[in-house]
Amino acid sequence: MEENQMQKVLMNQGKGNSEKICCDGEENNSSDRKIYLDYNATTPLAPDVIQTVIEAMHDTWGNPSSSYTEGQRAKRIIDKARKSLARMVGGQFQDIIFTSGGTEANNLVIHTAVKHFKESNQQRSDRPGEDQLKTLWTRPHLITSCIEHDSVRLPVEHLVKEHEAEATFVPVSKVTGQVEVDDIVAAIRPATCLVSIMLANNETGVIMPISELSQQIQALNQKRIASGLPQILVHTDAAQMIGKGRVDVQDLGVDYLTIVGHKFYAPRIGALYVRGPGVTTPLYPLLFGGGQEQNFRPGTENTPMIAGLGKAAELVNRHCEIYEAHMQKIRDHLEESLEAAFGEQGVHFNCRLKGSRRLCNTCNFSVLGSGLKGHLVLSHCRILLASVGAACHSEKGDQPSSILLSCGIPYNVAQNALRLSVGRDTSKEDVDLIVEDLKQAVAQLQ
């Protein structure tokens, strides 16, 4: 990719994250400048996305289920967005189901797997001579990892607590930070009905071996179906990967894939890819109403937000390679600058795990030394806006990340961790400023 072409695309993303801002959003003097490096938590809306949402609010306010002009105009906008999302992940038009966000999409998959297992189990038990199989499969069994987002972990834990399912939380390798395929396969039981593993971790940036996992499960499914065992469905939450690297459901081999808009410069809305929903792959609604989204997700569609999601997908379809190359270049500059500032012995990169690929934009590191806990360092920074890990765990204070501990990071190192995640418009100048900011914060604490 030519450098001038890259710069042109990135300039069109907006004014950048190094604007002079103060707490009320108005411009102020340079001492109020803030630099945002928490793009794994959420992203701003791309200017083109904002424009699309505004236009949809003005022009496509009709009910998409209506037959008159205003309704059909809204329906066309929704169809266009669905096509863009399908193209973004390598699926078909009918494979995309719009949801309120990633949490709903993940819950939809987990509850579907449990309900499908129970219905299939009932059908088997009604056949003559299959009473023994029924006793083996009293409850469905779910497999996930110990580093999943709460929107996967908590619904699984809830089903276990309610005695609706059993579950195995597979640990990650302390060497690679990955969920190992062999460990997942070893956890499979006769009653296993779903494996749900995130595509990339939001704290370490480690990318999971989903393609290899799917291939092994597909081979197992052929044997299981032949012997009367239930098929194992495969789901991945791709929230962190989309817009930062190629996502193709054909290569991944998954049955379900979660899409989260606010992670790739879209509104806070989401979608679920389902390989042939209700035909090839089971899907059961959580809600009941007007029959929208092929009866899988009823409720009058939020046309402006869906339009914005579609526009963000278009941008990814056109420019993902440019975005990825830029963010990786900035992340590498960030890590080189941190090493220069604190010395190779003074900083530990928690995201550099042997044998693993990681997201192009994510740097998880610890400045070594007592009294340098991550949240304390951030509190002494003047311009850096970042986090110690997942935003939904920000209330945990100085408790080290369970994900980092799971990856084998020592307790005292994990306590000092900071997660910096760069965006499409983060510049080297931004990085230089925040490294200086971190240096002065550490100096104050020491």
Side-chain angles (χ1 to χ4, degrees):
M1 188 66 63
E2 294 184 4
E3 187 72 18
N4 60 350
Q5 183 183 357
M6 180 183 292
Q7 291 300 323
K8 184 178 179 181
V9 170
L10 295 171
M11 284 175 64
N12 288 335
Q13 293 305 309
K15 296 178 181 179
N17 67 333
S18 56
E19 289 184 292
K20 300 174 190 147
I21 57 173
C22 62
C23 59
D24 61 3
E26 296 178 357
E27 289 197 2
N28 205 332
N29 58 53
S30 59
S31 64
D32 293 316
R33 182 181 188 182
K34 300 294 183 184
I35 296 175
Y36 181 75
L37 288 188
D38 205 17
Y39 288 90
N40 282 7
T42 197
T43 56
L45 269 65
D48 286 353
V49 171
I50 293 173
Q51 185 60 36
T52 298
V53 171
I54 291 172
E55 290 174 0
M57 286 179 170
H58 279 292
D59 302 332
T60 56
W61 49 266
N63 190 317
S65 298
S66 302
S67 59
Y68 43 76
T69 303
E70 286 77 4
Q72 290 304 296
R73 188 183 297 131
K75 186 177 185 302
R76 286 193 295 271
I77 290 291
I78 292 171
D79 288 347
K80 180 182 178 183
R82 202 184 308 274
K83 288 177 184 176
S84 294
L85 264 72
R87 181 185 169 200
M88 181 175 71
V89 300
Q92 301 296 316
F93 174 84
Q94 65 274 12
D95 295 339
I96 301 298
I97 306 297
F98 291 114
T99 66
S100 62
T103 294
E104 182 187 343
N106 289 340
N107 274 263
L108 191 54
V109 171
I110 292 163
H111 287 277
T112 282
V114 169
K115 185 170 183 179
H116 180 67
F117 173 92
K118 291 180 177 179
E119 288 194 358
S120 299
N121 197 31
Q122 183 61 47
Q123 291 172 6
R124 291 188 190 92
S125 68
D126 290 341
R127 299 174 195 152
E130 299 209 9
D131 290 340
Q132 185 177 3
L133 289 178
K134 182 180 178 182
T135 62
L136 287 174
W137 304 342
T138 306
R139 292 179 194 152
H141 176 239
L142 310 171
I143 298 176
T144 186
S145 80
C146 67
I147 60 168
E148 295 299 313
H149 189 270
D150 281 355
S151 59
V152 168
R153 180 180 64 85
L154 292 178
V156 170
E157 288 181 349
H158 173 75
L159 288 167
V160 171
K161 182 180 178 182
E162 295 295 314
H163 306 291
E164 294 293 324
E166 296 179 355
T168 300
F169 292 86
V170 177
V172 295
S173 165
K174 293 188 182 299
V175 176
T176 66
Q178 291 181 334
V179 183
E180 299 294 338
V181 173
D182 289 346
D183 291 340
I184 295 171
V185 172
I188 290 174
R189 306 174 187 173
T192 301
C193 60
L194 177 70
V195 173
S196 177
I197 304 293
M198 58 172 43
L199 186 50
N201 184 262
N202 58 308
E203 290 193 30
T204 63
V206 169
I207 298 170
M208 304 298 160
I210 301 300
S211 296
E212 182 186 347
L213 171 63
S214 296
Q215 289 171 10
Q216 291 216 27
I217 290 180
Q218 285 170 13
L220 281 172
N221 276 337
Q222 292 179 2
K223 298 176 182 178
R224 288 171 68 92
I225 292 170
S227 61
L229 292 172
Q231 178 184 0
I232 301 170
L233 300 163
V234 181
H235 166 244
T236 191
D237 183 342
Q240 292 296 336
M241 191 71 178
I242 290 174
K244 302 169 190 171
R246 184 169 175 267
V247 174
D248 188 321
V249 292
Q250 307 308 322
D251 290 344
L252 293 171
V254 294
D255 300 296
Y256 310 95
L257 182 140
T258 296
I259 301 167
V260 181
H262 74 99
K263 305 295 187 181
F264 63 101
Y265 295 77
R268 289 194 172 105
I269 186 173
L272 178 66
Y273 160 83
V274 186
R275 188 187 302 277
V279 180
T280 306
T281 305
L283 190 65
Y284 296 88
L286 287 173
L287 308 173
F288 298 88
Q292 293 86 352
E293 294 302 294
Q294 307 173 56
N295 281 314
F296 296 122
R297 205 286 181 176
T300 303
E301 299 90 339
N302 191 340
T303 307
M305 298 301 105
I306 290 173
L309 186 65
K311 173 56 71 172
E314 285 181 30
L315 295 174
V316 170
N317 290 335
R318 290 204 300 266
H319 305 307
C320 189
E321 290 182 3
I322 296 175
Y323 299 152
E324 184 178 7
H326 171 75
M327 287 188 281
Q328 183 163 331
K329 182 173 72 172
I330 298 300
R331 182 206 67 192
D332 291 348
H333 177 65
L334 169 62
E335 294 184 353
E336 291 165 4
S337 300
L338 288 169
E339 283 185 333
F342 299 107
E344 290 187 10
Q345 302 305 314
V347 63
H348 182 273
F349 291 99
N350 308 313
C351 51
R352 293 180 179 174
L353 293 156
K354 186 178 179 180
S356 293
R357 293 188 303 125
R358 59 179 170 132
L359 294 173
C360 61
N361 78 320
T362 305
C363 172
N364 192 308
F365 71 99
S366 299
V367 181
L368 303 179
S370 62
L372 299 178
K373 294 176 181 177
H375 74 284
L376 288 176
V377 173
L378 282 178
S379 69
H380 283 73
C381 288
R382 295 179 298 105
I383 63 173
L384 173 62
L385 301 176
S387 66
V388 297
C392 51
H393 295 161
S394 59
E395 76 285 353
K396 291 188 176 180
D398 62 354
Q399 294 182 30
S401 161
S402 60
I403 289 175
L404 295 184
L405 295 176
S406 298
C407 294
I409 306 299
Y411 189 95
N412 62 321
V413 176
Q415 273 191 318
N416 291 13
L418 294 171
R419 182 192 67 182
L420 305 186
S421 46
V422 306
R424 296 173 185 175
D425 57 0
T426 307
S427 67
K428 286 187 175 181
E429 291 74 22
D430 294 332
V431 167
D432 294 340
L433 287 169
I434 68 99
V435 170
E436 285 300 316
D437 197 24
L438 285 165
K439 283 174 64 178
Q440 66 84 23
V442 168
Q444 287 182 26
L445 289 168
Q446 287 177 329

